[in-house]
Amino acid sequence: MTINTVSSKTLKAILKCLATTPEKLTPEDAATGLRAIINGEANDAQLAGFITALQLRGMGMRPDMLAALAAETQRHALVPKLEPSQTEMVVDIVGTGGDGWNTFNISTTSSLVAAAAGLQVAKHGSRSSSSNCGSADLLESLGCDLNAIGPDNVAELLRRHRFCFLFSSTFHPSMRYLAQTRRELGFPTPFNVLGPLINPVQPDRAVVGVHSQPLGPVMAEALRSLGRRNYAVVCGDENLDEISIAGSTQVWHIDDSGHIDHYTIHPDNFGVPTHPLSAAAGSTLEENQATLQRLLNNTLEPSDVAVRDFVLVNTGFLLFVSGMARTMKQGAEIARLTLESGKVKDLFDSFARSTREFNTATG
């Protein structure tokens, strides 16, 4: 679905509307305000005012506003061109962050396992903003040169490895206009949850984690209005932006026709025991790095079992949503066999090597 993002209002008029009559603000107004900022037409006060007012007026909980901001962001993205032969579906597993649980890098690891199992994964991510170790931080610490991956490299990486990482700062250079102000403000805004909506590849299917249950149906509706189908938005009952290993998880599943089905899943659906979230907590970059290496090398310690099962549940659900597995339980079993086979380590090592080759070629 194409969203009309044209408004005749000036940025000053949009700011006044946000301040005095926010109920009259339209999605087109929000997109036009963002466009003015991206085009360098806003001063520092207007930039901070726009971001702050969007948050205070609750625009981050309106699906039409999130969709409009995402569509405008995508207009300025660097979009990879996939090869004509790459007709297979592309998938992603990604969360908004901000849930405060600081768990291990589950979606990053699950994306690698899913790719090794046979899916084509375009993982969209960034550095940490709300946890000790973000997806980019972890991959870079293990030898991946993510800055070397540009739009021209995506198709080749997917062909070689069935996996690619799209560094948000590379593929969304327009967001640099907001980055410093967002850091200086220091509180969450609607832009904190845009990540899952703005993967430049626009995957065919995805699992999207959100940090709070009220955001679940909002995110699902925003995705639907952007034309996404066969996406599943998930939120653990602990307000976790992953499928929980500790108990139930709420799912808002967008089907082929655009209908949103709300249901609940549990580790039992995957044939996996429950574990307290504390058993799967992330820590420092160095400790998360060591945990991932043990997972890849099949040298698990007793303390790693909860993390492994956490990965199996989330990977299994992505395999289920993508149609590779008929059931969630089968998805978790495929994930387990893939992890134990050594295929994930082989994929990761070859992917990391390719990124360093790109750097050498362009250096």
Side-chain angles (χ1 to χ4, degrees):
M1 178 183 297
T2 300
I3 294 179
N4 177 20
T5 58
V6 177
S7 170
S8 60
K9 292 179 182 174
T10 64
L11 178 57
K12 185 174 289 189
I14 291 168
L15 288 168
K16 183 177 180 180
C17 182
L18 269 168
T20 59
T21 54
E23 70 281 0
K24 294 183 180 180
L25 190 82
T26 67
E28 293 76 19
D29 293 336
T32 299
L34 177 57
R35 185 180 309 172
I37 291 168
I38 291 172
N39 289 339
E41 298 168 7
N43 58 41
D44 290 345
Q46 290 172 325
L47 174 52
F50 180 73
I51 296 173
T52 300
L54 287 176
Q55 176 66 15
L56 294 180
R57 296 306 190 183
M59 299 303 168
M61 292 300 293
R62 282 184 50 178
D64 56 346
M65 292 295 176
L66 287 180
L69 292 170
E72 184 61 30
T73 303
Q74 288 284 54
R75 287 184 68 252
H76 302 273
L78 303 181
V79 180
K81 290 185 178 179
L82 302 187
E83 296 172 356
S85 60
Q86 290 175 312
T87 56
E88 292 180 65
M89 74 171 72
V90 177
V91 305
D92 191 10
I93 179 168
V94 62
T96 59
D99 60 15
W101 281 101
N102 197 34
T103 53
F104 175 74
N105 302 85
I106 298 299
S107 64
T108 306
T109 308
S110 294
S111 67
L112 292 167
V113 179
L119 291 177
Q120 196 168 220
V121 182
K123 171 68 175 162
H124 184 229
S126 61
R127 300 193 194 283
S128 172
S129 61
S130 59
S131 65
N132 292 340
C133 175
S135 55
D137 303 304
L138 181 62
L139 295 177
E140 286 181 328
S141 76
L142 290 169
C144 299
D145 191 342
L146 303 181
N147 287 311
I149 303 172
D152 294 338
N153 306 122
V154 173
E156 183 178 353
L157 287 169
L158 288 174
R159 177 175 53 78
R160 285 188 191 180
H161 314 293
R162 308 187 68 81
F163 177 81
C164 181
F165 188 89
L166 289 84
F167 205 169
S168 181
S169 60
T170 298
F171 289 83
H172 290 289
S174 64
M175 289 294 98
R176 68 182 183 274
Y177 292 104
L178 287 81
Q180 181 176 344
T181 300
R182 288 176 57 200
R183 283 194 298 270
E184 291 175 348
L185 288 174
F187 53 78
T189 74
F191 295 97
N192 287 68
V193 300
L194 282 193
L197 296 165
I198 59 173
N199 186 324
V201 171
Q202 297 189 24
D204 301 288
R205 302 189 181 200
V207 174
V208 174
V210 295
H211 60 62
S212 66
Q213 290 192 29
L215 184 58
V218 174
M219 179 66 75
E221 184 59 42
L223 286 163
R224 178 169 66 175
S225 69
L226 289 166
R228 308 292 194 272
R229 300 293 182 265
N230 298 300
Y231 273 50
V233 177
V234 301
C235 183
D237 278 1
E238 309 84 1
N239 281 329
L240 176 75
D241 74 334
E242 319 268 9
I243 297 171
S244 178
I245 197 65
S248 297
T249 294
Q250 303 304 310
V251 181
W252 296 266
H253 199 149
I254 310 167
D255 67 16
D256 276 323
S257 67
H259 173 73
I260 299 175
D261 185 21
H262 177 219
Y263 56 91
T264 302
I265 59 177
H266 188 274
D268 290 345
N269 297 112
F270 300 87
V272 172
T274 59
H275 302 272
L277 285 182
S278 59
S283 186
T284 64
L285 173 60
E286 292 74 22
E287 291 181 1
N288 285 11
Q289 179 189 99
T291 300
L292 180 57
Q293 288 177 317
R294 291 194 298 273
L295 286 169
L296 299 183
N297 291 319
N298 287 314
T299 56
L300 298 183
E301 298 176 356
S303 60
D304 297 325
V305 172
V307 172
R308 181 204 61 193
D309 288 350
F310 209 170
V311 170
L312 297 185
V313 164
N314 281 272
T315 308
F317 194 61
L318 178 60
L319 295 173
F320 172 69
V321 168
S322 301
M324 177 173 283
R326 294 187 303 275
T327 65
M328 298 176 212
K329 188 173 182 178
Q330 183 187 43
E333 180 63 10
I334 292 171
R336 182 184 67 79
L337 293 172
T338 302
L339 195 55
E340 292 176 354
S341 71
K343 291 179 181 178
V344 188
K345 175 175 170 52
D346 291 342
L347 180 150
F348 180 80
D349 289 345
S350 60
F351 168 76
R353 188 163 51 249
S354 289
T355 66
R356 294 193 296 270
E357 290 171 356
F358 289 148
N359 190 3
T360 302
T362 58

